């Protein structure tokens, strides 16, 4: 049996990864360490394929004693670090939690992993895999080539800077101490269980509720979008075949402008849940995000060449599936939407910039 410690597995991508791994591999146990911040949701882990091979531990990645005990008692051979503060807009309002979890938290995991690995109590094939983002590379001009693994880091938001710092620490622990690490830098994910503050679920749920669809600035910012299950498959391949010390770029090989995404969502909803008025009429251009990165694009040639990974979903099929998932899981959405902390985030964030929710 393999024993995987997943951190942040009650969040969007981590939960999808746990579903994916338990479905794909019969010979693994998963231990999920999650602090259950506003973004963590135990409901994301209901209906797991084989719950007997899943264990939840409520705790913080900065708790070294706890992490040490988890590694040793469960003979962990693989640690996958998803735990992070992830919303760029929140990092602009208050960067402190981003520094605490993304930098200090990753550092704590690295320190404990190094002790565990060098004490000989770990299995020889121990692996520390760190989940990162394309945002560490900064922003591209319209004609710039896409980010590759050798593009210099140039993070712009406090979120991106905190992720860049954690990536540097991960590389440094490999270079200096020989800790067997791999990293992956991924573009924007979308799919089931994404917290409703992010663009795609926010637009789906606002449209269904007849609320404003708040597009920042001119809506011409470009992102690369990856269906979350494709991301999970890429991580799975890196864990089995990725070279230690290496990072791998992952992306969906598409670059639509935000406004196109929002219009596509309206179009899909028009067919699946026709309303009395056209959803597109709800679009409003509102005050831009400060320091908003204009364009991201990913060169995924390395992971394709080395590990044979290509995304299975196109943006069209992935968006269709995602809208269907949110339509079928309105109760899950409401359980977050009705929380006072989420309501106050919406009021605080959108109230002042024109997209009153
Ligand atoms: P998310 O915000 O949905 O979930 C984060 C999870 O981490 C939550 O369950 C939360 O409770 C947990 N967490 C936060 N602080 C913690 C701490 N100190 N100790 C333990 N657990 C803690 O995030 P996500 O969108 O699933 O992103 C997961 C990872 O993928 C992050 O590292 C993020 O930077 C990276 N990433 C995300 C995207 C994306 O589009 N969502 C793209 C590229 C990379
Ligand atoms: O690129 C990978 C990153 O993608 C991850 O590292 C982050 O954790 C993740 O949150 C995501 O960051 P973005 O800032 O790109 O995602 P978000 O969904 O917040 O916004 C996507 C785009 O949509 C961005 O250009 C801002 C815009 N936007 C977002 C919101 C929430 C709007 O126009 N209106 C909105 O209300």
């Amino acid at each position: 049996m393999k024993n995987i410690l997943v951190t942040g597995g009650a969040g969007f991508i981590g939960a999808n990864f746990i579903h994916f791994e338990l479905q794909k591999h019969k010979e693994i146990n998963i231990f999920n360490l999650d602090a259950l911040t506003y973004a963590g949701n135990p409901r994301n882990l209901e209906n797991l394929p084989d719950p007997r091979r899943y264990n939840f531990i409520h705790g913080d990645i900065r708790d070294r004693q706890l992490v040490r005990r988890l590694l040793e008692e469960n003979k962990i051979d693989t640690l996958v670090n998803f735990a992070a503060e992830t919303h760029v807009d929140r990092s602009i309002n208050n960067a402190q939690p981003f520094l605490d979890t993304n930098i200090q938290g990753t550092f704590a995991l690295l320190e404990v992993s190094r002790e565990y690995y060098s004490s000989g109590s770990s299995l020889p094939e121990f692996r520390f895999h760190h989940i990162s983002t394309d945002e560490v590379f900064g922003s591209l001009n319209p004609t710039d080539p896409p980010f590759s693994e050798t593009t210099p880091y140039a993070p712009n938001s406090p979120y991106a800077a905190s992720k860049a710092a954690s990536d540097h620490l991960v590389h440094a622990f490999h270079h200096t101490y020989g800790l067997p690490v791999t990293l992956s830098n991924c573009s924007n994910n979308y799919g089931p269980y994404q917290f409703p503050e992010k663009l795609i679920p926010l637009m789906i749920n606002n449209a269904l509720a007849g609320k404003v669809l708040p597009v920042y600035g001119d809506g011409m910012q470009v992102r690369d979008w990856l269906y979350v299950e494709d991301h999970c498959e890429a991580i799975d391949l890196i864990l089995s075949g990725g070279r230690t010390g290496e990072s791998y770029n992952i992306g969906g090989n598409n670059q639509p402008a935000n406004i196109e995404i929002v219009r596509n969502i309206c179009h899909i909803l028009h067919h699946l849940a026709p309303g009395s008025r056209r959803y597109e009429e709800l679009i409003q251009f509102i005050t831009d995000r400060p320091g908003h990165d204009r364009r991201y694009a990913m060169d995924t040639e390395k992971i394709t060449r080395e590990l044979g990974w290509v995304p299975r979903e196109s943006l069209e099929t992935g968006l269709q599936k995602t809208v269907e998932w949110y339509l079928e899981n309105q109760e899950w959405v409401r359980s977050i939407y009705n929380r006072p902390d989420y309501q106050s985030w919406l009021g605080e964030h959108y109230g002042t910039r024109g997209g009153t929710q």
Side-chain angles (χ1 to χ4, degrees):
M1 291 297 270
K2 279 184 82 61
N3 295 313
I4 305 183
L5 177 60
V6 169
T7 68
F12 162 47
I13 307 175
N16 276 284
F17 179 73
I18 292 171
H19 280 268
F20 181 93
E21 287 290 289
L22 288 172
Q23 183 69 45
K24 174 149 189 212
H25 302 287
K26 299 288 167 254
E27 73 298 352
I28 59 161
N29 292 311
I30 295 210
F31 299 84
N32 174 18
L33 171 63
D34 197 297
L36 297 181
T37 66
Y38 80 93
N41 188 348
R43 290 188 63 177
N44 299 354
L45 296 151
E46 286 170 358
N47 309 315
L48 287 173
D50 184 355
R52 288 166 307 170
R53 293 187 284 118
Y54 169 73
N55 307 273
F56 179 71
I57 305 99
H58 185 196
D60 198 296
I61 56 169
R62 289 168 295 168
D63 183 344
R64 294 183 190 204
Q65 223 178 332
L66 172 63
V67 175
R68 191 174 296 117
R69 186 166 61 71
L70 287 175
L71 291 175
E72 284 170 1
E73 284 184 4
N74 302 302
K75 300 215 170 317
I76 297 297
D77 46 58
T78 308
L79 189 159
V80 188
N81 181 28
F82 291 93
E85 289 293 334
T86 62
H87 195 31
V88 174
D89 291 320
R90 290 189 194 245
S91 82
I92 294 168
N93 280 16
N94 177 16
Q96 189 63 53
F98 290 75
L99 273 61
D100 294 344
T101 285
N102 302 0
I103 305 178
Q104 295 294 346
T106 303
F107 176 58
L109 290 177
L110 286 165
E111 279 284 75
V112 176
S113 297
R114 175 167 80 89
E115 286 162 26
Y116 175 62
Y117 183 65
S118 60
S119 72
S121 48
S122 74
L123 298 173
E125 69 275 21
F126 180 75
R127 172 78 67 84
F128 185 111
H129 183 72
H130 181 64
I131 306 293
S132 191
T133 169
D134 56 1
E135 302 206 6
V136 297
F137 298 118
S139 185
L140 293 167
N141 289 317
T143 54
D144 286 343
F147 302 130
S148 78
E149 288 78 0
T150 55
T151 302
Y153 276 27
N156 286 320
S157 70
Y159 162 71
S162 69
K163 292 296 288 185
S166 66
D167 290 12
H168 288 316
L169 285 167
V170 175
H171 281 297
F173 269 64
H174 173 71
H175 186 83
T176 309
Y177 307 114
L179 188 70
V181 307
T182 39
L183 293 92
S184 47
N185 293 78
C186 189
S187 62
N188 284 62
N189 283 219
Y190 67 100
Y193 305 113
Q194 185 163 31
F195 194 82
E197 67 190 351
K198 305 283 166 59
L199 180 77
I200 288 180
L202 184 101
M203 295 297 167
I204 297 171
N205 296 314
N206 277 20
L208 288 172
K211 293 181 188 252
V212 164
L213 306 182
V215 176
Y216 298 164
D218 62 1
M220 293 307 289
Q221 304 81 9
V222 170
R223 298 285 180 272
D224 176 297
W225 294 93
L226 181 69
Y227 190 67
V228 64
E229 216 172 282
D230 282 328
H231 187 185
C232 296
E233 187 167 31
I235 298 165
D236 184 69
L237 285 172
I238 296 170
L239 291 180
S240 56
R243 290 180 293 132
T244 55
E246 294 290 316
S247 58
Y248 293 87
N249 279 2
I250 309 171
N253 301 328
N254 54 61
Q255 285 99 42
N258 290 341
I259 187 66
E260 267 182 70
I261 292 275
V262 177
R263 292 205 172 111
N264 282 346
I265 290 170
C266 291
H267 180 74
I268 297 170
L269 280 174
H270 180 69
H271 289 282
L272 294 180
S276 54
R277 59 191 280 209
R278 292 180 61 78
Y279 290 110
E280 283 203 26
E281 291 169 18
L282 298 168
I283 294 175
Q284 257 185 39
F285 293 90
I286 66 166
T287 309
D288 207 351
R289 172 186 281 176
H292 200 169
D293 283 342
R294 197 67 181 166
R295 174 177 169 241
Y296 306 141
M298 290 297 255
D299 177 350
T300 56
E301 189 272 336
K302 179 175 174 181
I303 189 168
T304 301
R305 177 171 36 84
E306 288 193 15
L307 302 173
W309 177 86
V310 283
R312 292 175 194 270
E313 296 294 340
S314 66
L315 184 56
E316 198 186 9
T317 58
L319 261 188
Q320 177 81 22
K321 279 187 175 181
T322 303
V323 174
E324 283 169 7
W325 189 89
Y326 279 94
L327 280 170
E328 283 158 17
N329 289 276
Q330 282 293 294
E331 211 276 303
W332 178 93
V333 175
R334 271 193 298 277
S335 71
I336 297 170
Y337 193 81
N338 292 332
R339 274 171 22 197
D341 67 308
Y342 189 54
Q343 280 301 317
S344 78
W345 162 253
L346 293 176
E348 182 189 319
H349 180 62
Y350 292 98
T352 51
R353 52 179 65 202
T356 314
Q357 303 294 298

